[in-house]
Amino acid sequence: MATLLHLDTSLNGDNSVSREVAASFRRAWEEQHPEGSVIYRDLSAEPIPHLDGAAYYTAFTPPEERDEEQRRILALREKLISELESADAVLVGAPLYNYSLPSALKAWLDHVIVMGRTASAEPTTVAGKPVTVVTSRGGAYGPGTPQEGKDFAVPYLTMVLGTAMGMRPEFIVPELTLAHSVPAMAGLIDKAETSRAEAHRRAEARAKDLAGLLTSVA
């Protein structure tokens, strides 16, 4: 049975476009995998603590040498890593906040990135795992726009998820999500709706494509 790890990070609840588009992916995924399972974490509603020095350095102690306190310290980190390693595919809702990714997602990444295991290993324990990132943007950051080059979320996640961890990230980017609420952007509402609809279409198609790919591999 296929397992999907689904992370949401938007603080906007039901008004979140990244959550909405990710939900389209998940529905399509579950239709293709009715007997499968979903590991879900809402990192905004239930944030995980930032990685501290004890958890970071204890990870470098060989498992057989860890004492009870060290095992306790690493329990959450190990659980998060195991969830990632056990998943067949990963879905991440990651809206663009202040030109970068939500801090809740960065905290999760800090826990699951372990050099020599999930990153910087040949191969990593998550190598080849497909990860779909829905990264919504309030404005437009594409080529030729005034904000071009100011999105630091996609480049960062491309490097971390792809280059460092060896996974296969694909990005779905609904833009202009603030057009309905910012008067100065009212003239962009049609473009915003088009972008949103295309994001839903791509999310559903991506989920179905991955289902076929995983079936063929199995």
mmCIF file of all heavy atoms in Angstrom, residues 7 18 35 48 58 63 74 115 124-125 135 144 165 174 177 181 208:
data_model
loop_
_atom_site.group_PDB
_atom_site.id
_atom_site.type_symbol
_atom_site.label_atom_id
_atom_site.label_comp_id
_atom_site.label_asym_id
_atom_site.label_seq_id
_atom_site.Cartn_x
_atom_site.Cartn_y
_atom_site.Cartn_z
ATOM 1 N N LEU A 7 2.373 17.584 4.301
ATOM 2 C CA LEU A 7 2.676 18.671 5.226
ATOM 3 C C LEU A 7 1.987 19.949 4.772
ATOM 4 O O LEU A 7 2.101 20.335 3.610
ATOM 5 C CB LEU A 7 4.183 18.929 5.287
ATOM 6 C CG LEU A 7 5.110 17.749 5.547
ATOM 7 C CD1 LEU A 7 6.565 18.202 5.460
ATOM 8 C CD2 LEU A 7 4.830 17.113 6.900
ATOM 9 N N SER A 18 -2.483 27.498 -0.823
ATOM 10 C CA SER A 18 -1.591 26.336 -0.838
ATOM 11 C C SER A 18 -2.279 25.111 -0.240
ATOM 12 O O SER A 18 -2.133 23.992 -0.748
ATOM 13 C CB SER A 18 -0.283 26.633 -0.081
ATOM 14 O OG SER A 18 -0.499 26.813 1.295
ATOM 15 N N GLU A 35 -6.591 2.044 -0.706
ATOM 16 C CA GLU A 35 -6.129 1.210 0.407
ATOM 17 C C GLU A 35 -4.856 1.769 1.042
ATOM 18 O O GLU A 35 -4.289 1.145 1.949
ATOM 19 C CB GLU A 35 -5.870 -0.229 -0.091
ATOM 20 C CG GLU A 35 -7.059 -0.883 -0.757
ATOM 21 C CD GLU A 35 -8.252 -0.974 0.181
ATOM 22 O OE1 GLU A 35 -8.032 -1.253 1.385
ATOM 23 O OE2 GLU A 35 -9.388 -0.761 -0.275
ATOM 24 N N ILE A 48 6.359 22.036 15.262
ATOM 25 C CA ILE A 48 7.359 21.270 15.989
ATOM 26 C C ILE A 48 8.410 22.238 16.520
ATOM 27 O O ILE A 48 8.608 23.318 15.953
ATOM 28 C CB ILE A 48 8.007 20.193 15.098
ATOM 29 C CG1 ILE A 48 8.673 20.837 13.879
ATOM 30 C CG2 ILE A 48 6.976 19.170 14.671
ATOM 31 C CD1 ILE A 48 9.409 19.856 13.012
ATOM 32 N N THR A 58 23.499 15.051 19.399
ATOM 33 C CA THR A 58 23.255 13.674 19.824
ATOM 34 C C THR A 58 23.080 12.751 18.622
ATOM 35 O O THR A 58 23.397 11.564 18.688
ATOM 36 C CB THR A 58 22.012 13.603 20.734
ATOM 37 O OG1 THR A 58 22.253 14.392 21.893
ATOM 38 C CG2 THR A 58 21.710 12.184 21.163
ATOM 39 N N PRO A 63 23.930 4.876 17.491
ATOM 40 C CA PRO A 63 22.721 4.443 18.221
ATOM 41 C C PRO A 63 23.012 3.525 19.401
ATOM 42 O O PRO A 63 22.394 3.649 20.460
ATOM 43 C CB PRO A 63 21.908 3.730 17.136
ATOM 44 C CG PRO A 63 22.318 4.396 15.869
ATOM 45 C CD PRO A 63 23.777 4.690 16.035
ATOM 46 N N LEU A 74 16.237 12.462 21.077
ATOM 47 C CA LEU A 74 16.144 12.205 19.636
ATOM 48 C C LEU A 74 14.806 11.618 19.201
ATOM 49 O O LEU A 74 14.602 11.411 18.007
ATOM 50 C CB LEU A 74 17.262 11.254 19.206
ATOM 51 C CG LEU A 74 18.655 11.860 19.037
ATOM 52 C CD1 LEU A 74 19.636 10.790 18.592
ATOM 53 C CD2 LEU A 74 18.630 13.007 18.033
ATOM 54 N N MET A 115 23.087 14.659 7.938
ATOM 55 C CA MET A 115 24.191 14.401 7.028
ATOM 56 C C MET A 115 24.650 12.942 7.128
ATOM 57 O O MET A 115 24.801 12.394 8.223
ATOM 58 C CB MET A 115 25.370 15.335 7.345
ATOM 59 C CG MET A 115 25.043 16.807 7.141
ATOM 60 S SD MET A 115 24.495 17.140 5.442
ATOM 61 C CE MET A 115 23.908 18.823 5.609
ATOM 62 N N THR A 124 21.241 8.831 -0.473
ATOM 63 C CA THR A 124 20.559 9.152 0.778
ATOM 64 C C THR A 124 19.436 8.144 0.998
ATOM 65 O O THR A 124 19.041 7.418 0.075
ATOM 66 C CB THR A 124 19.955 10.566 0.751
ATOM 67 O OG1 THR A 124 18.840 10.587 -0.151
ATOM 68 C CG2 THR A 124 20.995 11.594 0.309
ATOM 69 N N THR A 125 18.893 8.119 2.204
ATOM 70 C CA THR A 125 17.789 7.196 2.496
ATOM 71 C C THR A 125 16.475 7.648 1.879
ATOM 72 O O THR A 125 15.478 6.918 1.947
ATOM 73 C CB THR A 125 17.602 7.057 4.012
ATOM 74 O OG1 THR A 125 17.377 8.352 4.583
ATOM 75 C CG2 THR A 125 18.824 6.424 4.658
ATOM 76 N N THR A 135 3.681 25.972 -3.749
ATOM 77 C CA THR A 135 4.193 27.213 -3.164
ATOM 78 C C THR A 135 3.438 28.404 -3.740
ATOM 79 O O THR A 135 3.733 28.887 -4.839
ATOM 80 C CB THR A 135 5.726 27.335 -3.364
ATOM 81 O OG1 THR A 135 6.182 28.580 -2.839
ATOM 82 C CG2 THR A 135 6.134 27.181 -4.804
ATOM 83 N N GLY A 144 10.387 38.988 -15.882
ATOM 84 C CA GLY A 144 9.790 40.211 -16.396
ATOM 85 C C GLY A 144 8.908 40.947 -15.412
ATOM 86 O O GLY A 144 8.458 42.062 -15.699
ATOM 87 N N MET A 165 19.302 16.286 -0.602
ATOM 88 C CA MET A 165 18.616 15.093 -0.112
ATOM 89 C C MET A 165 18.371 14.052 -1.194
ATOM 90 O O MET A 165 18.019 12.905 -0.887
ATOM 91 C CB MET A 165 17.296 15.494 0.555
ATOM 92 C CG MET A 165 17.478 16.466 1.712
ATOM 93 S SD MET A 165 15.933 16.949 2.530
ATOM 94 C CE MET A 165 15.583 15.464 3.475
ATOM 95 N N PRO A 174 0.701 28.584 -7.678
ATOM 96 C CA PRO A 174 -0.401 29.532 -7.890
ATOM 97 C C PRO A 174 0.039 30.931 -7.459
ATOM 98 O O PRO A 174 0.520 31.110 -6.340
ATOM 99 C CB PRO A 174 -1.518 28.984 -7.003
ATOM 100 C CG PRO A 174 -0.821 28.180 -5.953
ATOM 101 C CD PRO A 174 0.443 27.659 -6.565
ATOM 102 N N THR A 177 -2.252 35.494 -5.372
ATOM 103 C CA THR A 177 -3.318 35.073 -4.468
ATOM 104 C C THR A 177 -3.906 36.220 -3.645
ATOM 105 O O THR A 177 -4.966 36.066 -3.044
ATOM 106 C CB THR A 177 -2.806 33.983 -3.504
ATOM 107 O OG1 THR A 177 -1.738 34.511 -2.707
ATOM 108 C CG2 THR A 177 -2.303 32.777 -4.280
ATOM 109 N N SER A 181 -7.958 40.541 -2.298
ATOM 110 C CA SER A 181 -8.006 41.282 -1.033
ATOM 111 C C SER A 181 -7.234 42.595 -1.043
ATOM 112 O O SER A 181 -7.412 43.418 -0.145
ATOM 113 C CB SER A 181 -7.456 40.403 0.099
ATOM 114 O OG SER A 181 -6.137 39.979 -0.184
ATOM 115 N N LYS A 208 -2.057 11.746 -10.095
ATOM 116 C CA LYS A 208 -2.381 10.586 -10.928
ATOM 117 C C LYS A 208 -1.138 10.039 -11.622
ATOM 118 O O LYS A 208 -0.956 8.820 -11.740
ATOM 119 C CB LYS A 208 -3.447 10.970 -11.961
ATOM 120 C CG LYS A 208 -4.798 11.295 -11.336
ATOM 121 C CD LYS A 208 -5.791 11.782 -12.372
ATOM 122 C CE LYS A 208 -7.119 12.155 -11.716
ATOM 123 N NZ LYS A 208 -8.087 12.697 -12.712
#
